[in-house]
């Protein structure tokens, strides 16, 4: 641990052992001790931060694989993995950040990080809300829900909305946004406990445990007798196929993610794409970081809603870096209930 | 044949014998003789027309099947089938149409038709171009190319465009529009003769016979080393899957049709949809008749181009109603070279 005076600290790191294929396992990572200089060299534009919360995000699986032509580079085996996090600036050679600033953005899975790439680093200006929220509702997953739902789907009052992986970091927000917008919203999730949260905590009109539904097409037909106007797709695969058979005219599909496919050697086939023509539907993929210029607008909308408890946010906080690998791989079996975060250091 | 004086005429019709499944065959239809009154009852808003050209269009297969929840009703077995056509008004009880007007729109597959539904009926005002063009470049297929390419894909100069079923009624226009827009354009078609037309008549930069390519993904990678910005999809299935692996960032896919799937009991699976997320791509389905309000704007653009021979149009004209069933089913094996039309009567 660093104290005010010393400028080198011991630093635990989560290291990727080797590239993975299929579902990542805890054993694909390990922890090692290192040290770090707590000084940013003058003129480097770098900052040194103490990491407070690390965010476990599904996209990290791609960086653990060696994929060709992916939008982001793979992790380097032997090096600490990176991801979104909430941190406190200890030293800064960057004009926009100063000591003691709180920030969220890309950082390392370690106690302290030297950050040289500050493009996607945001200063935290509102601290009357839990700091961990900046890894979730007030960070990347929050923006993902906001952009996918509002910007890409242009929801109208009374429309029929379906969200998959609905109890997760992104999904729980999409459901609540849909209710705020006057929509009817149904969510799917992988356990009865999650279904209960969807209905009783997040205010979804209906919810179902997809692991107990033998025929998604029939389930959706039952829950959406009029069809689906907006599908917020977090899972892809069979659920998407069933949605395609239940679209309303001019339906919009925000293709946020396809987590059911990420760990498959050969992705499943989707058979019902002719519905895209017949229903004049739109499927729109997006990557949230291309929309970060809208972050201030999002904050303006969401902060009052959090304060007035019109939007709630459930987090699943793992304690300590030693529990980070398990928390990360848990995303791919649905172990997380709500937004998966790892608490690393205290403020 | 009717002459000026008589008001009942013999009328050959193409009848659907029974609903089909799989590829339609000539023998699923037959010709019968009937008669028709060449008078529209006063106050009925109906018109009586002499059909000049009938258009063979892929969507007609859906009306020959008994499909649930389709956008248009199936044909009635025992009755004449319907489709787009070019016709001359013989009698009218509709204020907007009068005797001797030339029109295009939905009509019957018969020599003369009583048309009661005139919503999608357009008066032909320019006759310095071939009348049959109103079944193709100046009619529904022309509008389909225009809307899908310009309205849905917002093409930019220098972009990379791919068109499947590129030698057909719609595809040949998309390729020419892409060239007018300053794009690089490649087309696929099902014979070397068609490939030759694409390159030497329609001005595509490259073209290939998909029946001779064992690996579409590799073919597209070769022809689009930088990837595809715009895919005008007429076929769906395997070709779409290969395109998904070759998209550029922010690619647009106009989902016009999926003819390779129409006659399959079980549609093929499309495996590479995660590219929609990774490439931030958009797939937009549409039905052209929802855009007919833009027809005057399209005419204004396309008529000068036809007159100046900046856009050419290849038609495949079958002669006589007796050849209509073969012409129609030929679409599904690629027998047509260019827009498939049936000439029924002389002006
Ligand atoms: N486009 C972007 O910019 C962007 C940004 C952020 C996230 N995303 C995507 O958004 C989606 C949700 O992310 P998140 O952060 O909110 O994660 P999350 O939902 O908090 O966690 C992942 C959840 O996915 C579900 N899941 C795992 N394997 C599954 C499978 N085979 N089939 C169905 N569900 C499965 C699990 O819930 P159950 O118990 O319900 O199975 C798990 O809890 C992911 O696809 C992610 O890649 C995209
Ligand atoms: N969305 C709309 O409003 C709208 C309106 C009109 C048309 N469309 C669609 O646009 C597409 C083209 O229509 P079109 O009128 O221009 O027809 P077309 O291309 O003139 O004729 C159909 C062509 O499709 C190709 N084809 C047939 N079976 C195929 C298969 N299994 N795999 C690949 N190609 C196959 C054949 O050409 P090859 O020799 O190249 O195989 C055939 O010549 C169709 O999918 C149609 O449904 C949509």
């Amino acid at each position: 641990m660093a104290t005010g005076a010393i400028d080198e600290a011991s630093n635990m790191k989560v290291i990727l052992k080797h590239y993975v294929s299929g579902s990542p396992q805890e054993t694909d990572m390990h922890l090692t001790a290192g040290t770090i200089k707590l000084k940013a060299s003058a003129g480097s534009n770098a900052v040194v931060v103490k990491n407070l919360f690390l965010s476990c995000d599904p996209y990290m699986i791609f960086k653990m694989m060696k994929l060709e032509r992916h939008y982001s580079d793979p992790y380097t085996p032997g090096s600490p993995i990176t991801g979104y996090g909430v941190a406190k600036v200890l030293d800064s050679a960057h004009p926009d950040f100063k000591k003691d600033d709180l920030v969220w953005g890309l950082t390392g899975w370690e106690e302290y990080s030297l950050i040289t790439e500050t493009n996607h680093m945001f200063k935290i200006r509102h601290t009357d809300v839990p700091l961990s929220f900046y890894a979730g509702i007030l960070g990347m997953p929050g923006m993902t829900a906001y952009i996918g739902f509002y910007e890409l789907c242009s929801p109208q009052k009374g429309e029929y909305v379906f969200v998959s992986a609905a109890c997760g970091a992104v999904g729980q927000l999409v459901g609540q946004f849909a209710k705020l917008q006057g929509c009817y919203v149904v969510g799917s999730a992988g356990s009865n406990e999650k279904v209960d949260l969807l209905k009783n905590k997040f205010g979804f009109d209906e919810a179902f445990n997809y692991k107990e539904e033998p025929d998604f097409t029939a389930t959706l037909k039952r829950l959406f007798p009029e069809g689906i106007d907006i599908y917020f797709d977090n899972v892809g695969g069979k659920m998407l196929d069933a949605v395609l058979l239940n679209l309303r005219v001019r339906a919009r599909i925000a293709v946020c993610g396809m987590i059911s496919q990420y760990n498959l050697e050969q992705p499943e086939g989707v058979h019902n794409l002719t519905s895209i023509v017949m229903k004049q539907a739109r499927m729109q993929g997006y990557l949230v970081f291309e929309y970060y210029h809208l972050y201030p607008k999002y904050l303006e909308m969401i902060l009052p809603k959090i304060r007035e408890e019109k939007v709630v946010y459930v987090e699943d906080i793992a304690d300590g870096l030693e529990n980070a690998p398990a928390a990360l791989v848990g995303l791919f079996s649905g172990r997380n209930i709500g937004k998966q975060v790892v608490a690393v250091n205290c403020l």
Side-chain angles (χ1 to χ4, degrees), chain A:
Chain A
M1 270 287 242
T3 65
I6 62 161
D7 61 15
E8 188 168 272
S10 72
N11 195 20
M12 287 298 288
K13 304 156 188 276
V14 177
I15 303 283
L16 180 69
K17 284 199 220 164
H18 43 241
Y19 289 119
V20 308
S21 60
S23 292
Q25 307 298 322
E26 240 185 283
T27 50
D28 295 322
M29 290 160 274
H30 70 118
L31 268 82
T32 54
T35 59
I36 183 171
K37 280 229 178 69
L38 298 181
K39 275 256 155 252
S41 344
S44 67
N45 265 345
V47 296
V48 174
V49 300
K50 173 160 112 173
N51 292 310
L52 307 176
F53 295 100
L54 296 176
S55 173
C56 298
D57 290 296
Y59 80 89
M60 296 167 76
I61 191 178
F62 298 122
K63 295 178 77 78
M64 298 176 84
M65 297 171 162
K66 208 180 167 82
L67 296 173
E68 237 190 298
R69 290 179 65 170
H70 201 259
Y71 70 87
S72 77
D73 292 335
Y75 294 135
T76 309
S79 294
I81 67 174
T82 59
Y84 282 92
V86 179
K88 184 175 162 183
V89 176
L90 298 185
D91 190 38
S92 172
H94 193 293
D96 296 349
F97 301 99
K98 60 175 200 310
K99 186 166 179 316
D100 292 334
D101 276 352
L102 292 166
V103 294
W104 72 267
L106 289 173
T107 187
W109 275 40
E110 51 194 348
E111 291 172 278
Y112 303 91
S113 295
L114 172 74
I115 301 178
T116 53
E117 186 53 84
T118 51
N119 276 350
H120 287 174
M121 177 85 92
F122 298 86
K123 205 147 22 171
I124 292 174
R125 299 180 198 279
H126 306 273
T127 52
D128 59 327
V129 290
L131 267 186
S132 55
F133 275 19
Y134 288 92
I137 182 171
L138 294 174
M140 186 277 277
M143 275 295 284
T144 303
Y146 175 68
I147 295 300
F149 186 63
Y150 288 105
E151 293 287 318
L152 306 188
C153 295
S154 315
Q156 304 298 313
K157 189 167 168 347
E159 286 196 313
Y160 299 96
V161 177
F162 176 53
V163 191
S164 51
C167 199
V170 176
Q172 60 175 301
L173 289 173
V174 175
Q176 293 180 78
F177 294 166
K179 287 317 298 173
L180 288 173
Q181 203 64 13
C183 300
Y184 168 88
V185 61
V186 177
S188 63
S191 75
N192 294 338
E193 186 183 354
K194 291 184 184 185
V195 166
D196 184 63
L197 272 175
L198 292 177
K199 291 205 236 183
N200 299 317
K201 176 123 194 144
F202 303 127
F204 283 66
D205 295 287
E206 286 289 347
F208 65 92
N209 177 350
Y210 67 91
K211 291 181 182 163
E212 292 183 350
E213 297 293 326
D215 177 350
F216 297 164
T217 306
T219 306
L220 292 173
K221 199 155 281 176
R222 176 165 54 75
L223 293 171
F224 293 97
E226 308 285 333
I228 295 167
D229 291 298
I230 293 178
Y231 175 41
F232 195 101
D233 191 4
N234 284 318
V235 304
K238 285 189 183 47
M239 191 64 85
L240 172 58
D241 227 355
V243 167
L244 289 168
L245 292 180
N246 283 284
L247 293 180
R248 290 187 91 191
V249 168
R250 281 176 288 277
R252 286 86 71 203
I253 301 178
V255 195
C256 174
M258 299 199 166
I259 196 169
S260 76
Q261 307 299 298
Y262 296 168
N263 54 6
L264 302 181
E265 289 269 316
Q266 167 69 356
E268 289 171 342
V270 170
H271 297 265
N272 301 313
L273 286 167
T274 50
S275 291
I276 297 287
V277 187
M278 303 314 162
K279 298 298 178 177
Q280 307 173 60
R282 185 174 71 215
M283 289 179 73
Q284 174 79 60
Y286 68 112
L287 293 173
V288 62
F289 53 76
E290 299 268 345
Y291 294 84
Y292 280 166
H293 57 284
L294 298 176
Y295 182 59
K297 191 177 151 200
Y298 172 59
L299 269 192
E300 212 170 283
M301 181 281 262
I302 197 72
L303 277 169
K305 301 247 182 304
I306 294 173
R307 293 181 184 130
E308 295 160 21
E309 289 174 48
K310 291 202 175 123
V311 170
V312 296
Y313 200 60
V314 170
E315 302 174 295
D316 192 332
I317 304 195
D319 195 26
L321 211 52
E322 63 281 15
N323 291 312
L328 176 57
V329 306
L331 294 177
F332 303 98
S333 58
R335 229 185 59 173
N336 61 308
I337 296 182
K339 169 63 200 170
Q340 184 66 59
V341 176
V342 180
V344 182
N345 283 303
C346 300
L347 192 62

